[in-house]
Amino acid sequence: MIFLLGNSNAFSRVYTTCPYPQNEFGFSYGYNSIDQMAIGVGNTFASIFNKSIFKRDYQNEKISLIGPVAFNYKYFFHWKLSVGTSIIYSYTGVNYTTSDNKAYKDKYHTISLMPRFDFYYIRNPKFAMYGLLGAGVSVIDSRYQATNENHLGVALTFQLTPIAVRIGRDFGLTIELGVGNLGIANGGFSYRKYDRPWTGF
């Protein structure tokens, strides 16, 4: 009986004590999210379409971008697999001049909630290489100055990142390359707490 209790206690310790950090919190700033690219391309085609069909010209069009800015959380249920979520904000401004020399600016604010699944090719205490798949929803607030109209819409969003790296132990720098709502490239930092020594596997 004592032998069985001892083995049971040892078994419990093996499967309830995590030898690596399970929670990771991060912040990132990206470039050219899928929403920002769609707005930019849409305005370009709209300009061409209006000019060729309706003989209206949008001149001096300039696009300004902020973000995507993201807060990221990961929970590792396996030492090389995690689930989590990203909360993302991005802004796109489109300045243009009409054929009658009136200047206008359209503004697009996007907030996204995107569950994510990260898979690690390499995960060591000071270096990791990984990829991620994500899918979620975006709320887009569109404001058109020329017509004084506001529209609030909901759209599906995603992120596909085949290559990403993290360098550092507790605090680490991250660089991710892909396509989606986190941008074609983003960089930032993340933090994970070490409750016990971890040497990797």
Side-chain angles (χ1 to χ4, degrees), residues 36-49 61 63:
Q36 292 171 329
M37 286 192 288
I39 292 168
V41 171
N43 276 276
T44 299
F45 278 109
S47 299
I48 296 172
F49 181 80
E61 183 177 273
I63 296 179

Side-chain angles (χ1 to χ4, degrees), residues 45-112:
F45 278 109
S47 299
I48 296 172
F49 181 80
N50 286 335
K51 182 177 180 180
S52 60
I53 302 299
F54 298 110
K55 306 304 180 184
R56 289 162 56 190
D57 189 15
Y58 291 95
Q59 303 170 356
N60 304 318
E61 183 177 273
K62 295 181 180 179
I63 296 179
S64 56
L65 306 176
I66 298 176
V69 181
F71 170 77
N72 309 300
Y73 169 72
K74 303 179 187 181
Y75 172 77
F76 288 85
F77 62 93
H78 182 274
W79 76 282
K80 279 193 173 184
L81 301 172
S82 73
V83 292
T85 189
S86 292
I87 301 172
I88 311 160
Y89 168 78
S90 64
Y91 165 82
T92 308
V94 182
N95 294 275
Y96 60 91
T97 304
T98 58
S99 56
D100 56 357
N101 290 322
K102 291 183 179 180
Y104 295 101
K105 184 173 185 177
D106 296 338
K107 301 177 181 179
Y108 305 87
H109 300 270
T110 303
I111 297 178
S112 306

Side-chain angles (χ1 to χ4, degrees), residues 138-160:
S138 293
V139 177
I140 305 173
D141 179 17
S142 306
R143 304 180 184 186
Y144 306 99
Q145 186 180 17
T147 57
N148 199 28
E149 294 179 323
N150 293 345
H151 294 289
L152 197 64
V154 178
L156 296 177
T157 191
F158 72 95
Q159 180 68 32
L160 172 60

